[in-house]
Structure formats: structure tokens, C-alpha cells
Amino acid sequence: MRRTTVSPLPQRGGLDPARLRLPEDGTWPTVRAYLVARLPRVDPARIDAMLAEQRFVGVDGPYAADSPYLPGGFVWFHRDLPDEVPVPFEVGIVHADDDIVVADKPHFLSTIPRGQHVAETALVRLRTSLGLPDLVPAHRLDRPTAGLVLFVVRRELRGKYQTMFRDRRVHKEYEAIAPHRPGLALPTVVRSRIVKERGVLTAQEVPGSPNAETRVELLAHRDGLARYRLLPSTGRTHQLRLHMCGLGAPIVGDPFYPVLEDRPLDDFTRPLQLLAKVLAFDDPVTGERRRFESRLRLAAWRS
């Protein structure tokens, strides 16, 4: 069994420290030289300041500016936080017990820290508000998508719940508001091959063997719009959004499909009308059948 190296730094504001492993074949003369090469977006002067403040730490304590490079060693540190636009919506709690927390993530809030979104994320908010420093997500939702996210209270249980999602043993239902297409025969099952390249915002449907499947059902329609139930069998990036767009019914408020829009981060006026509505599964710890339903509602249908 692989032994986990425990961080010598505590969390800060619900955030774990970053960890870097020093490559075994590294030839840098000092840890500072490695950090300058490894963190090209950080000004070397800032790295020097952080070293002086003893913010880069190894298993034996803080690194100095002249600390020799240690192949196979570790560096922990807390990143400088970006200036973030506060997301003016609360994270709801649908269920909480000793093992899991099921939260209602609002639109515009990331699930986990990433890129420009660090403190303004569901994970950090819940760790802080619930006093659960070891809380971790079992899966994720895109930042624009609202609805149910399953979090695990104890890290040692994370693998059991993540495996459910990996092995497709979780029943997931989504709700979407999109244009009504009277000529579209529903229900239907959409299958396609979806590819998402690193560094590219949008995903693409390309020729080839399908790796994504969604069942689309019509729930109701009025005034040119419709409520759809979406039942994904797979979990490719932007799968539901691409499949609805491919049917000629792009989801209301989608800034990516069919046209990529440049929206400022403080624009909360047009939420993507996509909701993770239901999660159901056999609990891998207790064995009981669990079913949770979001308490959120999509504004385009209410209005």
C-alpha cells in the first residue's frame, strides 16, 4: 500500500496547500531554481519574497533561497489568492450525515478550486460553513450548471463514492429549458463522440465510435420553450449541452453552444438553464438505497 505523505501546512480558509514533488532526475542546483522553472506564471521576485517569508515548506521545515535541490522531495505552499468576484448565491444543503453531504450548487459557482475560482467555490464554502476540513467532492458539476453535488465527509471514504460514478452506478437526472421543437420525435437517445482538448473552452462532436450517450425526454412546453428531462449514461465534458445543441434545441443561457460568448465574470443575469435534478444510488458504505432531489428551480420556466 502506498503511504501518503502528510502536509506540514494546515488548510488556510478551507484551502489545502499546493504540493509539488521534486523530480528524481532534476538537475536544478537549488529548490528556488526549480520553483522558478516550475511556476513560470509567478514572478521570480515573488518567489524570492515567499521564500523569505518561509512559505515554501518541506518535510523538515521551510526552504531557504539557497536550499539545495532534493530529488524526490516535496514542496508545500499556499498560493496567492486571486481577486475573485463574489458569487451572490448560497449553497443549499439537501442532506448531511456522518459520511456524505449532498449540496445544491447554484449557477456560476465552481465545484472545486480551479483557475480564477478558488475561494468562491462550493468546496471551500462548505468546508468553512460546516466546519468539515476533510470534505471532498465525489464528482463535479460545471460552473454554469446548478444542482446536486455529492461530497464525502471523510477522505478515506472518497474512493468508494467516486467509484460509483466511474462505474456508472449512479442514476442521474437533469432538467433543461430549451426551445420547443414540435417536429423532434421524443423521447430519443443521442449518441456521439465528444472530444475536449486541454486549453480549449469548448468540446466538439467528431466522427468516430460514440463515447457519450443521453436520453432526452419532453416534460412540458409552452410559449416556444420546453422542459426536458436528460438522462446521461456517460459523463463527457459538456455532453448535455452539446447533445441538446445538436438536436437544434440549445439550452437557454448557454454561453458556449452554439456560439461562444465572452461574458464578464460578474454577469450573473443569464444563468444556464441546466439543473442536476436527481441523484440515486446504492450507498457503498451503508448499503441502503439513496435518492436525492434538488430543491432549485430553473428561472426560465418559472417566469
Side-chain angles (χ1 to χ4, degrees):
M1 181 179 296
R2 184 172 61 183
R3 180 176 298 176
T4 302
T5 304
V6 178
S7 170
L9 292 178
Q11 285 184 353
R12 185 181 68 181
L15 286 166
D16 294 320
R19 188 188 80 164
L20 301 176
R21 183 180 175 89
L22 306 179
E24 295 281 359
D25 58 354
T27 59
W28 295 275
T30 62
V31 172
R32 178 197 179 276
Y34 168 76
L35 291 171
V36 169
R38 179 65 175 79
L39 305 173
R41 296 183 180 180
V42 182
D43 191 300
R46 182 60 189 146
I47 291 177
D48 289 335
M50 294 173 69
L51 284 165
E53 297 164 4
Q54 299 188 333
R55 288 180 54 183
F56 292 107
V57 177
V59 292
D60 296 320
Y63 289 106
D66 59 353
S67 293
Y69 183 81
L70 182 64
F74 293 95
V75 180
W76 287 271
F77 65 101
H78 284 289
R79 299 180 186 273
D80 291 331
L81 297 181
D83 292 329
E84 296 184 66
V85 176
V87 178
F89 309 108
E90 298 296 322
V91 181
I93 303 298
V94 175
H95 172 86
D97 59 34
D98 291 339
D99 295 333
I100 62 173
V101 172
V102 181
D104 250 341
K105 185 189 80 65
H107 298 288
F108 303 108
L109 190 70
S110 294
T111 302
I112 61 172
R114 187 176 182 182
Q116 296 174 289
H117 311 285
V118 180
E120 286 295 307
T121 58
L123 176 62
V124 173
R125 283 193 185 182
L126 290 172
R127 279 180 173 177
T128 303
S129 64
L130 300 178
L132 296 173
D134 290 335
L135 194 73
V136 288
H139 66 120
R140 306 178 196 175
L141 288 182
D142 290 342
R143 178 176 175 266
T145 304
L148 298 179
V149 181
L150 174 65
F151 293 85
V152 184
V153 173
R154 291 175 284 149
R155 291 178 188 263
E156 63 268 24
L157 299 180
R158 184 181 190 182
K160 294 180 181 294
Y161 288 98
Q162 282 186 322
T163 299
M164 293 191 315
F165 289 90
R166 183 197 68 191
D167 294 346
R168 303 178 188 176
R169 291 186 281 114
V170 179
H171 174 76
K172 295 182 285 186
E173 295 183 18
Y174 289 74
E175 187 173 298
I177 309 301
H180 178 226
R181 290 197 58 207
L184 182 63
L186 295 176
T188 189
V189 175
V190 182
R191 299 181 181 90
S192 70
R193 183 166 190 82
I194 294 176
V195 174
K196 172 73 164 63
E197 295 182 9
R198 182 181 294 273
V200 179
L201 291 177
T202 57
Q204 304 290 330
E205 290 185 286
V206 299
S209 176
N211 62 2
E213 178 177 305
T214 307
R215 179 179 170 87
V216 180
E217 301 175 356
L218 178 65
L219 296 176
H221 66 89
R222 69 180 187 219
D223 301 326
L225 290 178
R227 287 176 58 223
Y228 297 91
R229 179 187 290 123
L230 310 180
L231 305 170
S233 300
T234 54
R236 310 301 298 188
T237 300
H238 300 174
Q239 173 179 322
L240 302 180
R241 298 158 69 177
L242 273 169
H243 281 175
M244 289 299 293
C245 190
L247 291 174
I251 298 174
V252 172
D254 194 336
F256 282 12
Y257 310 101
V259 178
L260 180 63
E261 301 177 25
D262 184 15
R263 294 186 188 176
L265 293 178
D266 59 353
D267 181 358
F268 304 113
T269 60
R270 293 173 289 166
L272 175 71
Q273 296 300 286
L274 180 61
L275 175 68
K277 184 76 171 178
V278 173
L279 285 177
F281 53 89
D282 292 326
D283 193 293
V285 175
T286 67
E288 66 181 299
R289 184 64 179 171
R290 305 265 208 169
R291 187 183 188 279
F292 304 104
E293 185 166 339
S294 173
R295 298 168 184 165
L296 299 175
R297 298 293 180 267
L298 293 172
W301 192 254
R302 291 204 313 266
S303 60

